[in-house]
Amino acid sequence: MKRIAVFGYGIMSLEAMRRLNQELYSIIFIAKDEAEAALVEEQGFSAKIIDFRNDDELRSIGIGTDVDILFCFYPRDSDNVFLTISARAIDQNITIVAIVDDPESSEKLLAAGANKIIDPYEICGRKTHEMLTKPDITNILDDTVFGRHDLNMAQIEVLKGSCLENTKTSDLRLSEKYDLILIGIVDRELGDQLHFAIGEKEHCLDAGDVLVVMGPATEIKAFKKVVEQC
């Protein structure tokens, strides 16, 4: 049985762990604190708290000995690059899979020693066509979307203290300000299920909620920058 260590809490890391066959893989999630560990353990996975910047603590979870695969799912590319460099220095044979927020970071991660890069923008671009073929999704999209080739999707978390807290979804006006479409909301208080923005009741945003948006990559990056700074 191969052993996998997963770093970075989020929708993608949780989904990756759920999809892994636990008869073939032993999974350990590496949490930053007790609250994060508790959230993962509630999902039925093992969790351990360590400082990923400390090589001895990385070795303590099995990197260099019995961890075969490492998932780097931190939201910041710099953290994923740091973790990749550290893990590769400890174990030349470990398989490292890393996610990127900025496509330009892909080369840095590959140079750092990552075996596989996951670019959500590229994946979502391919998935857009599949979504457009489903009637329930098609009805959500405005006619101006069709025929465009620069569509991407992204998940943007509402941070504690953000100006988006207590904002109603109808007040976001993403199409006017950023040429973006709000597909739906993941309400952390209700779980990890996506609630579509059209056809469901008005939603008031709380810290931890995740906005799922669609639009050009440049507009997504501009909106994320505003959200992180406000």
Side-chain angles (χ1 to χ4, degrees), residues 16 120 194 208 211:
L194 175 66
L211 304 174

Side-chain angles (χ1 to χ4, degrees), residues 74-82 99-103 105 109:
Y74 285 118
R76 294 200 309 177
D77 291 340
S78 58
D79 288 341
N80 289 325
V81 170
F82 188 98
I99 191 172
V100 292
D101 178 57
D102 186 341
S105 297
L109 279 161

Side-chain angles (χ1 to χ4, degrees), residues 149-172:
H149 301 284
D150 58 345
L151 291 177
N152 298 272
M153 284 196 298
Q155 302 167 3
I156 301 174
E157 184 175 359
V158 178
L159 303 176
K160 184 69 176 177
S162 166
C163 59
L164 292 185
E165 274 194 277
N166 302 316
T167 299
K168 293 182 179 179
T169 51
S170 60
D171 295 332
L172 291 174

Side-chain angles (χ1 to χ4, degrees), residues 10-70:
I11 292 175
M12 289 196 69
S13 57
L14 287 174
E15 187 63 22
M17 290 190 290
R18 291 192 191 103
R19 289 180 178 272
L20 289 168
N21 187 335
Q22 295 190 48
E23 294 182 357
L24 300 177
Y25 301 100
S26 172
I27 305 168
I28 180 70
F29 178 83
I30 309 306
K32 64 180 180 181
D33 52 36
E34 292 183 2
E36 195 171 84
L39 288 171
V40 172
E41 288 171 348
E42 287 176 1
Q43 302 290 323
F45 299 101
S46 298
K48 187 170 183 179
I49 303 168
I50 71 164
D51 179 2
F52 75 91
R53 296 175 180 82
N54 186 307
D55 285 357
D56 289 335
E57 294 194 30
L58 290 176
R59 292 187 178 94
S60 74
I61 63 164
I63 293 179
T65 53
D66 64 349
V67 170
D68 301 287
I69 303 171
L70 179 66

Side-chain angles (χ1 to χ4, degrees), residues 7-8 16 18 30-31 33 37 50 53 59-60 106 111 120 122 133 138 142 150 155 171 173 186 192 194 205 212 214:
F7 290 72
R18 291 192 191 103
I30 309 306
D33 52 36
I50 71 164
R53 296 175 180 82
R59 292 187 178 94
S60 74
S106 296
E122 179 183 351
T133 61
T138 303
D142 185 85
D150 58 345
Q155 302 167 3
D171 295 332
R173 295 186 297 162
V186 177
D192 294 323
L194 175 66
L205 299 175
V212 180
M214 176 185 286

